[in-house]
Amino acid sequence: MALVVKEKDARLSFQESTELVRIAVNQSQPTSDKVYRYMSTFPSWVPGADLPWDRVDMNGAAGVHKATYGAHVYTMSGVAVFRAVADSGRDRRDNAASTADNSQRGLDLHTIQGCFTSKGLSNRPFVFDVTHVAGGRTFATWYVKVRQPTTGSEVMADGRFPLSDAEKPLGPVCFTALCSLKNPEDTYVDNQQQPAQERLSAILSSRPPEAWPHAPSVDFKWMTSLFPNPGPGKFPIIEMRKVDMTEYNASRPPAERREILLYRLLHPLPSDDPNQHALVHAFAADRNGLLMLANDYDMDLILQSAATLTWTFFMHTNVENAIMQCDESGEGGWWILEDSFPRGTAGRGYVEGKIWSPEGVHVATAVQDGIARAFPPEEAKLPSKL
């Protein structure tokens, strides 16, 4: 029987969505901290921007989210670090007189610890400045500072920003990250809790993964009622499905509720660089986290604002365990993002996302603390902005 190959999905792959170009840096002041600068090439996805707003009456309210998907700049910061590691190695080889440590090659993703200081804009690229902080043979840290041009841009025919955008004046820092890299190690002791596949087997086995609805573009209850079946939209890199946890959560307090997202690659990603696969999981882990917290805290109609402040992604295993399978037909194993919301107070919410492989291995965890600010109950109304 002939292999049926699906038509290529038009949504961007990981390679396209995180594509960076190196930009020359004029370091007029002598410093030991060499800066490696990169610019993103494709616009970032904006939650809700691909919904059919022309079909609904918003009664004057502006419904489209203005900020880009935070995990995009977060993930690209990790990509920029690995580019800087490779470029610094080439620089050392080109400079025979250099005495710089050459031991960082071969280190893998350990953590990304990020802080968001202002929203990202989709009509201009991100510019990443990467510097080496410290490191040895088994562990290293890199610092990433991200800004955007002060003026918007127009994409070219191929969908990319022009390289001339790198010459524009840059605005204030919108994101910073400390990225740690670590050597792989043999495993002699391996402990984890019961996998989500086992704890939630009755729910997960009730239908095939692809039979669950697509993850909402913006997971507010009032917005999902406006757009009940919008499809996948233009969300890049991965296909994501949301499991209906309504019955499971109904009898549980908010701190014990769970939200489950299933995901897999849209396009094949070479397995010879498992760090790219690890960064795909970081990209997935931010999907609707604080919005689902608002839903499970029964504050979706009184939510004034939601935005991530700090976010940390931990790889628990060696990065080979993060590799995602995807063949040319688009088929591949489904991964699980298990979100919980242990704490919410003082206008903030805490989200913990555990990432489970198709085999039930707890590969990574993402934790974020962000603004989840509510109107006083007497002022509850349909939000005028997201």
Side-chain angles (χ1 to χ4, degrees):
M1 184 174 63
L3 175 66
V4 178
V5 178
K6 295 181 181 179
E7 183 178 349
K8 183 179 185 297
D9 196 299
R11 288 171 287 173
L12 294 179
S13 66
F14 177 85
Q15 299 93 319
E16 294 166 321
S17 190
T18 64
E19 183 181 68
L20 301 176
V21 293
R22 187 174 179 181
I23 304 299
V25 180
N26 181 16
Q27 292 185 260
S28 56
Q29 298 295 326
T31 176
S32 59
D33 299 327
K34 181 168 183 176
V35 176
Y36 295 88
R37 178 169 292 177
Y38 307 94
M39 187 188 85
S40 62
T41 59
F42 283 95
S44 293
W45 180 74
V46 176
D50 46 9
L51 292 172
W53 291 99
D54 56 336
R55 301 180 190 174
V56 297
D57 181 8
M58 290 295 292
N59 195 27
V64 180
H65 193 94
K66 300 298 190 297
T68 60
Y69 180 56
H72 195 201
V73 66
Y74 189 97
T75 301
M76 286 192 291
S77 293
V79 174
V81 165
F82 283 106
R83 280 288 303 274
V85 170
D87 288 339
S88 65
R90 279 188 287 269
D91 290 347
R92 285 192 296 270
R93 290 191 295 273
D94 292 341
N95 183 5
S98 173
T99 59
D101 179 25
N102 192 37
S103 60
Q104 291 177 57
R105 285 179 289 174
L107 300 186
D108 296 319
L109 183 66
H110 172 240
T111 68
I112 304 175
Q113 303 166 56
C115 294
F116 294 85
T117 49
S118 64
K119 66 183 179 182
L121 302 174
S122 65
N123 67 345
R124 61 201 69 182
F126 290 99
V127 177
F128 302 80
D129 284 349
V130 185
T131 55
H132 177 236
V133 178
R137 290 193 298 270
T138 62
F139 192 74
T141 53
W142 291 76
Y143 174 67
V144 186
K145 181 172 65 177
V146 187
R147 294 173 291 174
Q148 290 187 286
T150 55
T151 58
S153 180
E154 296 290 338
V155 297
M156 301 183 295
D158 63 359
R160 291 175 170 85
F161 291 114
L163 292 179
S164 58
D165 282 353
E167 302 172 6
K168 293 181 177 180
L170 297 175
V173 173
C174 61
F175 178 75
T176 59
L178 186 67
C179 182
S180 61
L181 310 179
K182 189 185 179 302
N183 67 314
E185 293 195 30
D186 294 331
T187 297
Y188 300 108
V189 177
D190 189 354
N191 291 301
Q192 65 172 39
Q193 73 175 127
Q194 186 181 24
Q197 289 93 331
E198 297 177 8
R199 287 182 284 108
L200 304 171
S201 60
I203 300 172
L204 295 174
S205 63
S206 65
R207 67 181 75 177
E210 58 271 15
W212 295 105
H214 290 282
S217 183
V218 179
D219 201 350
F220 275 128
K221 289 180 181 177
W222 68 266
M223 285 189 64
T224 54
S225 66
L226 283 176
F227 308 104
N229 297 294
K234 297 180 180 179
F235 188 72
I237 301 176
I238 51 177
E239 176 183 0
M240 297 196 84
R241 303 279 179 159
K242 186 181 181 184
V243 175
D244 186 354
M245 299 294 289
T246 304
E247 184 176 348
Y248 177 91
N249 289 331
S251 61
R252 289 173 168 81
E256 296 179 11
R257 294 173 183 173
R258 295 290 184 272
E259 296 295 346
I260 300 295
L261 294 171
L262 310 177
Y263 64 97
R264 64 181 178 181
L265 285 169
L266 287 173
H267 308 283
L269 188 61
S271 60
D272 58 355
D273 186 356
N275 286 296
Q276 292 190 4
H277 292 254
L279 291 168
V280 172
H281 299 300
F283 182 82
D286 190 37
R287 191 77 189 271
N288 286 325
L290 287 170
L291 302 184
M292 292 191 293
L293 175 145
N295 290 335
D296 280 349
Y297 279 26
D298 301 316
M299 57 181 286
D300 57 301
L301 291 181
I302 61 171
L303 186 67
Q304 182 181 18
S305 56
T308 303
L309 296 173
T310 63
W311 181 23
T312 300
F313 179 82
F314 299 91
M315 276 296 301
H316 301 305
T317 67
N318 293 332
V319 291
E320 286 73 20
N321 292 99
I323 293 175
M324 307 175 73
Q325 303 301 326
C326 179
D327 60 31
E328 290 299 330
S329 70
E331 298 300 323
W334 288 87
W335 290 67
I336 293 177
L337 171 62
E338 179 189 7
D339 275 336
S340 61
F341 318 98
R343 190 70 170 113
T345 190
R348 302 199 321 274
Y350 173 74
V351 182
E352 180 178 272
K354 295 179 180 178
I355 293 170
W356 299 92
S357 75
E359 296 75 30
V361 177
H362 183 191
V363 171
T365 300
V367 295
Q368 63 173 294
D369 180 90
I371 295 171
R373 186 178 297 130
F375 287 105
E378 64 273 12
E379 297 180 20
K381 58 183 178 180
L382 183 70
S384 61
K385 63 180 180 178
L386 304 182

